Amino acid sequence: MEKAGKSTLKISFQRGTVPALLQGLRKSSSAEEPHDPTPGVDVGTFHIPGVGEVSLWDFAGQAEYAVTHSMFMDAENTISIVLYNIMDDTQEQDVHRWLSFIKSSNPNRQPDVILVASHADKVPPTSGQRQAAHLLQLMKAEFQDHLRISDEVFLMNCKETRTPEMDRLKKLLAKMKKAMLEIIFTCPSSSDPIIVLKPNWLCTDVFGPTMAPKTFSIHLRRSRPKSDDYMYVTREEIQRVFQDVADVDLLITLLHEFQLCHSYDGQTFIFPGLLTQTMPGQVWQPTQEPKVVYFGKQVQCADSTDMFSSGFFPRVQTRLMREQENRPLLWRDGAKCVDRNVEGLIKLSPDGRAANICVRSAQGDKAQCGKMLQQLENIIADVLDECSPGTGTEEKVLSARALKEHREEFYSYGKEEISKAAAEGGTIVHPSLGFTEQVSDLLCREHEDPLTRNRPELVQALRHVEPILDRLLACGILGDDEPDRIRAKETPQDKARELLDIVGRKGERARREFTAVLEEVNPHAAAMVQDGAGALLCEEDDPLIRNRPGLIRDLTSSYAVETILNHLLSRGHISEEECGIIRAKRTPHDKARELLDIVRRKGAAARQVLREALEEVTPHLAEMVV
């Protein structure tokens, strides 16, 4: 955290007995030492007396540098020391934000965390200890399922080395220390990994100056109307700033591959992380066109421990610049796109915990609205998977009427509310606004391609693409070089995305062959790409739909879900891969949704096994599935 004393603590860690004694004998000064903030991330390997050889990563607390932090927060075999200033009024919010940040980067493990309060010399010892202990208990209670936070309370003056608190901290570190692994930084957008042999060069000499707010003389381009102004950095400025660091072409390649910037001409570069202007209201004005239609989705954090990483929205904006045919308009908290007769808007909520996606067509083109809406959803889902994989999210449907009325806030419906309303006549009443809408006016799903509509789920389901590639190559759907392009992608998710993109461009025959192959090797994924899959939620007489909200609300016990999976697996109704898909979902509610969807597609026998398992672990839910 900013001015918490992380860099000072790092120096104190390294002092042995004699240097510490000399430091204590120095004449103290009544004046405060000037604050010299860490530029980005300072990396070094040090020997800490009593602990041993460690690699220390000092993350800057200033918000402008946090854009790149998520690239390094998922390293395994690490201990995170969250240092905060006991004097700050915002200490609880600051600690909570950092713990949420650590959680967001680590979906499959519980990282070790130590909370340390600094500036012990500024508070009475008793009240300071009580305050630090209270904050520790609050954080442990909230993050108990996500992080392993040490029980020990630390309140220390980071400038002092020979203290009982420092000795306790070193002993705890020595106890928790594990073998450190070599760290390799990879870029999600590149087919080849980038290996950085000097991490401190990348983090401090490159990322630090790049994200510092005063490094570049930001230019404002006014080649279009004022609302379309955008800020850019010239190639000459990049060369001036980094002339003693590295070749300018290498620097630009690195910044591009880490998705920190984009250029349309090779001479001027837009850095979304440097944007400061908020979205002006005039860029999304009401229209009087009688045929205009609005649609929208909301992706919000699932609970209080979740957050979008600081790099999330800048990376979304970089992806928009690279993937949209027309240049999007960008602001610190928003982005606007135009494609044919459809306009799209992505707007962050004021607290940064929700991304609202809106599309509209003055000509009433519902099909094109559906395509753009899904494109924007896919970008958000992909970026979340890249830089906030541990963030639990909940997807909602925005009120079309509220969007058309251009209300200041975004109003939404939960998916369970939509499903229930569709089964009970097709009308829905907004719980806070009180007006009634037709479900058909909220959704444009009937016009969506199943490959696009279910893309996030397909990306997770298609973890093993090799048997699919072999069969598609044999039947002539894939060209000779296309399997290699797919295999060259770094992660299973990226391989699945490339496969879906290639198949999606090849027309109806390719989709039919793709579906046939999936029916053979991955029936669960096959159901997602069949045209009827999107209509599963409209059967009024299906108890799994009628009672879906209650089932999802109450089926959150890990023990209950695992018991059900074991029953279904042992009876041959689901596969190991399908169990993995369910377990990979971020929140208990998402696991319950995926479980119910899979069971619905499996037929009556699977439903009976589900009921038997529920009777064993949660009897009151068993009556809701028949």
Side-chain angles (χ1 to χ4, degrees), residues 361-477:
S361 170
Q363 289 74 37
D365 194 334
K366 197 172 183 180
Q368 288 301 320
C369 281
K371 290 180 180 179
M372 176 176 278
L373 181 61
Q374 195 63 59
Q375 288 170 357
L376 300 182
E377 282 188 89
N378 290 342
I379 288 175
I380 285 178
D382 290 351
V383 173
L384 277 174
D385 193 53
E386 291 172 0
C387 65
S388 284
T391 298
T393 57
E394 182 179 2
E395 185 179 298
K396 295 188 174 184
V397 177
L398 292 179
S399 163
R401 177 171 170 179
L403 289 175
K404 192 171 184 178
E405 294 174 354
H406 282 252
R407 294 175 179 259
E408 289 188 10
E409 297 182 29
F410 292 94
Y411 295 89
S412 61
Y413 301 97
K415 282 192 170 182
E416 283 70 42
E417 294 178 87
I418 297 286
S419 299
K420 184 178 180 181
E424 295 178 352
T427 60
I428 189 168
V429 179
H430 196 278
S432 58
L433 298 177
F435 54 57
T436 300
E437 298 183 82
Q438 295 296 316
V439 171
S440 59
D441 292 336
L442 303 176
L443 306 174
C444 40
R445 294 180 68 91
E446 62 267 29
H447 296 283
E448 295 172 8
D449 177 358
L451 289 183
T452 304
R453 178 179 64 233
N454 299 317
R455 181 182 173 96
E457 292 80 8
L458 283 167
V459 167
Q460 295 302 320
L462 298 176
R463 291 301 184 120
H464 306 289
V465 300
E466 282 300 328
I468 301 172
L469 300 183
D470 293 340
R471 288 165 173 79
L472 291 178
L473 184 62
C475 64
I477 297 301

Side-chain angles (χ1 to χ4, degrees), residues 93-112:
Q93 300 96 298
D94 292 340
V95 171
H96 189 281
R97 177 174 59 85
W98 275 99
L99 295 181
S100 295
F101 194 6
I102 295 170
K103 179 209 167 189
S104 75
S105 302
N106 294 275
N108 300 316
R109 67 187 186 95
Q110 289 185 296
D112 292 308

Side-chain angles (χ1 to χ4, degrees), residues 2-252:
E2 185 175 359
K3 299 185 181 181
K6 300 183 303 301
S7 301
T8 305
L9 177 62
K10 181 177 66 176
I11 295 171
S12 296
F13 266 148
Q14 301 169 62
R15 291 191 182 124
T17 304
V18 174
L21 182 60
L22 293 175
Q23 175 71 13
L25 292 174
R26 288 178 184 168
K27 189 175 182 179
S28 61
S29 171
S30 59
E32 287 287 335
E33 295 180 9
H35 176 59
D36 184 18
T38 303
V41 183
D42 188 33
V43 184
T45 300
F46 305 98
H47 178 80
I48 298 180
V51 179
E53 198 84 2
V54 299
S55 176
L56 280 174
W57 294 63
D58 180 4
F59 289 87
Q62 291 75 18
E64 57 265 23
Y65 297 114
V67 171
T68 59
H69 285 358
S70 61
M71 299 177 187
F72 316 109
M73 295 293 285
D74 62 345
E76 296 185 7
N77 301 314
T78 58
I79 303 166
S80 297
I81 299 177
V82 177
L83 187 69
Y84 64 95
N85 187 339
I86 195 72
M87 299 294 293
D88 282 349
D89 294 334
T90 61
Q91 59 185 266
E92 184 175 331
Q93 300 96 298
D94 292 340
V95 171
H96 189 281
R97 177 174 59 85
W98 275 99
L99 295 181
S100 295
F101 194 6
I102 295 170
K103 179 209 167 189
S104 75
S105 302
N106 294 275
N108 300 316
R109 67 187 186 95
Q110 289 185 296
D112 292 308
V113 178
I114 303 173
L115 299 190
V116 177
S118 67
H119 294 73
D121 54 319
K122 306 294 184 182
V123 294
T126 302
S127 62
Q129 281 284 337
R130 185 166 57 246
Q131 187 177 338
H134 175 67
L135 180 58
L136 174 63
Q137 292 308 311
L138 285 178
M139 297 300 114
K140 280 184 65 68
E142 187 162 2
F143 289 89
Q144 60 182 339
D145 295 330
H146 311 291
L147 306 172
R148 286 195 296 265
I149 303 176
S150 170
D151 292 324
E152 296 201 37
V153 179
F154 292 97
L155 173 63
M156 58 199 309
N157 180 352
C158 295
K159 298 177 183 178
E160 296 181 355
T161 302
R162 299 182 66 195
T163 65
E165 290 291 282
M166 179 64 77
D167 290 341
R168 277 202 309 119
L169 180 56
K170 288 183 177 180
K171 287 179 181 178
L172 179 60
L173 286 172
K175 181 180 178 181
M176 298 171 69
K177 181 188 172 189
K178 302 170 185 175
M180 298 293 175
L181 299 179
E182 179 183 6
I183 297 173
I184 297 179
F185 307 106
T186 59
C187 306
S189 64
S190 175
S191 59
D192 298 315
I194 293 179
I195 301 176
V196 179
L197 299 180
K198 294 184 177 180
N200 204 49
W201 171 82
L202 177 69
C203 298
T204 305
D205 297 343
V206 177
F207 288 165
T210 297
M211 304 316 301
K214 296 182 180 180
T215 296
F216 300 111
S217 300
I218 301 295
H219 297 271
L220 191 63
R221 173 159 290 181
R222 297 184 181 277
S223 58
R224 292 175 291 172
K226 189 171 182 179
S227 63
D228 291 6
D229 288 344
Y230 64 95
M231 295 184 291
Y232 66 93
V233 176
T234 65
R235 180 186 178 90
E236 289 73 20
E237 283 182 294
I238 295 175
Q239 187 164 15
R240 173 184 60 80
V241 170
F242 294 107
Q243 59 184 338
D244 297 327
V245 176
D247 175 75
V248 65
D249 291 324
L250 171 63
L251 260 298
I252 290 172

Side-chain angles (χ1 to χ4, degrees), residues 508-545:
E508 187 58 33
R509 176 177 172 268
R511 294 165 193 260
R512 287 198 304 270
E513 293 287 352
F514 181 54
T515 302
V517 169
L518 289 181
E519 287 175 343
E520 180 182 349
V521 301
N522 192 332
H524 173 58
M528 297 181 191
V529 301
Q530 292 168 345
D531 289 336
L536 287 172
L537 300 182
C538 300
E539 302 171 15
E540 296 184 26
D541 57 347
D542 187 344
L544 290 185
I545 293 303

Side-chain angles (χ1 to χ4, degrees), residues 532-578:
L536 287 172
L537 300 182
C538 300
E539 302 171 15
E540 296 184 26
D541 57 347
D542 187 344
L544 290 185
I545 293 303
R546 186 172 61 250
N547 300 318
R548 183 180 174 91
L551 287 166
I552 290 173
R553 182 188 64 241
D554 295 341
L555 192 57
T556 56
S557 163
S558 297
Y559 171 73
V561 171
E562 286 300 320
T563 300
I564 295 169
L565 293 182
N566 290 334
H567 276 68
L568 291 168
L569 185 62
S570 65
R571 305 274 282 274
H573 292 294
I574 61 174
S575 65
E576 288 282 4
E577 187 168 19
E578 288 169 324

